[in-house]
């Protein structure tokens, strides 16, 4: 990897790399052994996407988003999704003020920088859909008035894959709004011992301090958009997407939105890796996290135990990878 020394908007890449390193190290003060998940969450954040964390209770899903929020000094809002939650409980509501003889808008918890949508599959589809406009267009419409969300705006939703009683599986349209779908996984024995040691007297999250400002974060997001993507890489992304649509075990392949998501995620991964250009390796690494939750498999494939992950592994090994040319 060549050394990247030129300046972008008068901010050296060395400085931005220091900022990224600080964020990840700060998160790891709370999250033990979750370096990959931390990096991927940061990839989605810098790419201005959203993350769906699916795993069993107690493995640190909520702690992850809290640690990220405190590290960048963002306004954190938590929405606990329950069956009786209404759309107005999420986006806000207009209340009549008899003194002023007019309606006053009271914003809901969606109006924040980092939103934790906790157990999103426990609420009704009507309330789930309240997130659609905000996640895709970074705005909400209430009583015919469209309000823009303040940047950065990042949603991290959690769901439990084990308990299905009283839940509402996320529809395909909602899943397509998430840039990445991640799993936390259980820690190793040594990592769990370290967690016990850190939490013996106090929770590490209570002592976590911001390491960069929101303005710095917005600047990082802008730099990600400047990362160069060669035409061969774009063609590679499109070919991977098209192969999912033609695969015999797939009923519905990924949409063009997924191709765009993979492009943006690859730019963000290249950026946090210290490069101003995307490599095929970036695309290959991120493709399962971006595509798998968007694939709808045929019933016979599910019956035979074929998974979306296996299909993506097959596609990545069969699609021609662009030649890695030296970048001058």
């Amino acid at each position: 990897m060549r050394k990247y020394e030129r300046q972008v908007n008068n901010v050296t890449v060395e400085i931005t790399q220091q900022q990224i390193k600080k964020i990840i190290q700060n998160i790891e003060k709370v999250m033990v052994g979750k370096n990959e998940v931390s990096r991927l969450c940061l990839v989605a954040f810098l790419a201005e996407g959203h993350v769906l964390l699916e795993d069993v209770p107690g493995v640190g899903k909520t702690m992850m988003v809290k640690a990220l929020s405190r590290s960048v000094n963002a306004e954190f809002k938590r929405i606990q999704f329950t069956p009786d939650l209404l759309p107005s409980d999420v986006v806000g509501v207009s209340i009549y003020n008899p003194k002023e003889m007019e309606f006053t808008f009271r914003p809901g918890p969606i109006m924040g920088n980092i939103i934790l949508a906790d157990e999103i599959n426990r609420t009704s589809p009507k309330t789930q859909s309240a997130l659609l406009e905000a996640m895709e267009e970074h705005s909400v419409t209430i009583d015919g008035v469209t309000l823009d969300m303040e940047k950065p705006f990042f949603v991290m939703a959690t769901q439990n894959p084990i308990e299905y009683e009283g839940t509402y599986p996320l529809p395909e349209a909602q899943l397509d709004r998430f840039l990445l779908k991640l799993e936390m996984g259980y820690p190793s024995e040594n990592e769990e011992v370290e967690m016990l040691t850190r939490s013996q007297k106090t929770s590490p999250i209570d002592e976590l301090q911001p390491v960069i400002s929101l303005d710095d974060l917005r600047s990082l997001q802008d730099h990600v958009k400047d990362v160069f993507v060669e035409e061969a890489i774009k063609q590679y992304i499109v070919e991977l997407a098209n192969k999912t649509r033609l695969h015999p075990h797939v009923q519905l392949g990924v949409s063009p939105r997924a191709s765009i998501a993979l492009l943006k995620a690859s730019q963000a991964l290249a950026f946090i890796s210290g490069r101003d250009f995307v490599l095929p390796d970036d695309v290959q690494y991120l493709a399962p996290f971006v595509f798998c939750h968007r694939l709808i498999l045929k019933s016979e494939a599910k019956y035979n135990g074929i998974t979306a992950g296996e299909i993506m592994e097959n596609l990545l090994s069969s699609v021609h990878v662009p030649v890695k040319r030296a970048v001058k």
Side-chain angles (χ1 to χ4, degrees):
M1 182 176 65
R2 69 191 181 94
K3 190 174 181 181
Y4 181 19
E5 295 177 335
R6 69 184 180 88
Q7 290 188 332
V8 181
N9 296 334
N10 298 322
V11 180
T12 63
V13 170
E14 182 180 357
I15 294 176
T16 61
Q17 290 305 301
Q18 289 176 355
Q19 292 173 331
I20 290 169
K21 187 176 181 180
K22 285 180 181 179
I23 296 173
I24 295 176
Q25 288 178 341
N26 209 44
I27 294 174
E28 290 179 344
K29 292 179 181 178
V30 177
M31 308 302 300
V32 180
K34 301 299 179 185
N35 180 267
E36 183 182 37
V37 179
S38 301
R39 283 173 58 87
L40 287 170
C41 287
L42 188 56
V43 163
F45 200 6
L46 294 181
E48 300 185 41
H50 310 285
V51 171
L52 177 62
L53 276 175
E54 183 179 76
D55 218 318
V56 296
V59 293
K61 301 186 297 293
T62 302
M63 197 65 70
M64 172 64 74
V65 64
K66 283 185 175 181
L68 178 59
S69 175
R70 294 201 178 193
S71 297
V72 300
N73 199 26
E75 183 181 11
F76 172 75
K77 297 289 184 68
R78 177 174 181 167
I79 308 174
Q80 188 66 49
F81 282 86
T82 56
D84 60 345
L85 196 72
L86 299 175
S88 58
D89 296 327
V90 175
V91 299
V93 64
S94 294
I95 299 177
Y96 183 70
N97 187 336
K99 289 186 178 181
E100 302 292 336
M101 299 183 65
E102 61 180 16
F103 285 91
T104 303
F105 173 66
R106 290 190 178 179
I110 196 71
M111 299 293 186
N113 297 128
I114 295 183
I115 312 300
L116 171 60
D118 207 5
E119 296 189 273
I120 191 173
N121 58 332
R122 291 203 175 278
T123 196
S124 67
K126 182 178 181 181
T127 305
Q128 289 175 0
S129 66
L131 289 172
L132 288 177
E133 181 184 4
M135 292 175 64
E136 181 65 19
E137 302 176 24
H138 290 193
S139 64
V140 294
T141 302
I142 302 166
D143 296 334
V145 179
T146 300
L147 304 173
D148 293 329
M149 316 294 293
E150 182 183 353
K151 292 182 65 175
F153 176 69
F154 177 65
V155 175
M156 187 177 288
T158 69
Q159 64 177 11
N160 181 355
I162 304 301
E163 298 177 359
Y164 292 104
E165 185 176 350
T167 63
Y168 303 86
L170 291 175
E172 287 73 23
Q174 183 82 14
L175 285 172
D176 204 27
R177 261 64 174 187
F178 289 100
L179 182 72
L180 306 176
K181 182 181 179 183
L182 308 176
E183 296 178 358
M184 299 291 292
Y186 285 113
S188 66
E189 289 188 5
N190 291 336
E191 290 169 350
E192 196 161 359
V193 170
E194 176 64 23
M195 291 170 59
L196 297 180
T197 302
R198 294 187 185 185
S199 305
Q200 187 171 354
K201 294 183 178 180
T202 182
S203 175
I205 192 69
D206 296 333
E207 301 175 357
L208 212 60
Q209 298 296 323
V211 291
I212 69 169
S213 67
L214 274 184
D215 288 336
D216 290 335
L217 181 66
R218 296 186 188 103
S219 179
L220 292 177
Q221 289 179 327
D222 290 337
H223 293 336
V224 167
K225 299 173 185 177
D226 295 328
V227 173
F228 176 73
V229 185
E230 197 166 343
E231 289 300 317
I233 301 291
K234 296 177 184 177
Q235 184 63 42
Y236 181 49
I237 292 173
V238 171
E239 189 173 354
L240 281 173
N242 191 51
K243 288 290 185 180
T244 67
R245 301 160 193 163
L246 302 175
H247 197 280
H249 294 314
V250 177
Q251 179 178 340
L252 188 64
V254 300
S255 66
R257 181 189 284 124
S259 301
I260 297 172
L262 183 53
L263 174 70
K264 291 183 176 180
S266 299
Q267 287 179 294
L269 180 60
F271 181 75
I272 69 174
S273 300
R275 286 181 274 108
D276 64 337
F277 57 93
V278 172
L279 292 175
D281 292 347
D282 299 323
V283 177
Q284 288 183 314
Y285 173 68
L286 289 169
F289 300 109
V290 177
F291 279 1
C292 282
H293 64 284
R294 293 175 160 94
L295 296 179
I296 301 178
L297 306 188
K298 293 181 179 179
S299 55
E300 56 266 30
K302 296 178 182 178
Y303 178 79
N304 291 323
I306 298 173
T307 65
E310 292 172 344
I311 291 174
M312 279 307 307
E313 185 177 348
N314 175 263
L315 292 179
L316 287 169
S317 62
S318 62
V319 176
H320 174 70
V321 180
V323 177
K324 301 176 183 178
R325 298 190 310 179
V327 181
K328 297 181 180 180

